[in-house]
Amino acid sequence: MKLYGYWRSSAAYRVRIALNLKGISAEQFSVHLVRDGGEQHQAPYIDLNPLELVPTLVVDDELDTEALSQSLAIIEYLDEIYPQAPLLPASALERAHVRAMALTIACEIHPLNNLRVLQYLTQTLGIDEAAKNTWYQHWVASGFAALEVLLARHSGRYSFGNTVTLADLCLVPQVYNAQRFNVDVTPYPNIMRVWAECNQLDAFADAAPERQADAI
């Protein structure tokens, strides 16, 4: 396997955690999201991932080499192919709850604050840094308020009970980003409790942005 990512990409961060939890080795390639206008916008990466986003996981199928995009799709693929340390519960109802928490982050918070959105706000619309940060903090606070309620209902040691799930793989990178943009996280004790528990595990700690080979 080959994982194309970037040290600060929260989507790539999710996949790194999944690989670590399952003990899967993947050769890692850095796609610098800022240098020279962003390497994700340049050939040959566009041929690999027409979305021009990271991560991309390249796997050797029985018949061909396949490039997979979208972090949650990649993680669920890994969970199906490598069922050890499952990241989704056994029952359909519990899986729905876990996916709801994961998607609260991956669909409601992250897309509004992704790099290309922030660049559009500043480079195209001319919004200054202070206004950009206000935008970022607003959408994180909105999503975290909902996630805090879901964790109050379902969390144990981790986001859903006492076993690491897909929800945790989304939560930890999002908290990292929130802290980076100076979001006040004190109103979210459940989120921060789960974040701290997850980071006690080597699989999460070793996936942290600052520990990656391309970290600046």
Side-chain angles (χ1 to χ4, degrees), residues 68-185:
L68 306 177
S69 61
Q70 293 293 342
S71 63
L72 268 62
I74 291 170
I75 291 167
E76 291 214 30
Y77 165 80
L78 293 172
D79 208 34
E80 292 174 10
I81 299 301
Y82 300 93
Q84 69 273 19
L87 297 172
L88 287 167
S91 81
L93 184 61
E94 291 180 339
R95 287 196 300 275
H97 283 308
V98 168
R99 287 188 174 115
M101 286 187 278
L103 292 171
T104 296
I105 295 168
C107 293
E108 306 299 338
I109 302 175
H110 179 244
L112 288 165
N113 291 325
N114 203 8
L115 176 63
R116 61 180 178 173
V117 171
L118 300 182
Q119 288 177 334
Y120 183 80
L121 290 174
T122 56
Q123 297 174 10
T124 303
L125 299 184
I127 292 174
D128 63 24
E129 284 295 309
K132 181 194 78 173
N133 290 339
T134 298
W135 165 281
Y136 189 102
Q137 292 162 2
H138 169 79
W139 293 114
V140 172
S142 175
F144 272 15
L147 184 61
E148 181 71 11
V149 174
L150 295 177
L151 291 180
R153 294 174 182 170
H154 301 296
S155 68
R157 185 173 182 181
Y158 303 109
S159 294
F160 192 85
N162 296 313
T163 303
V164 172
T165 65
L166 177 64
D168 301 301
L169 275 61
C170 293
L171 181 146
V172 168
Q174 190 59 63
V175 171
Y176 172 88
N177 280 347
Q179 292 176 323
R180 187 174 150 228
F181 281 85
N182 299 314
V183 175
D184 179 11
V185 294

Side-chain angles (χ1 to χ4, degrees), residues 7-8 30 208-216:
W7 67 290
R8 267 187 174 168
S30 178
E210 288 78 11
R211 293 198 180 185
Q212 306 315 302
D214 60 337
I216 299 172

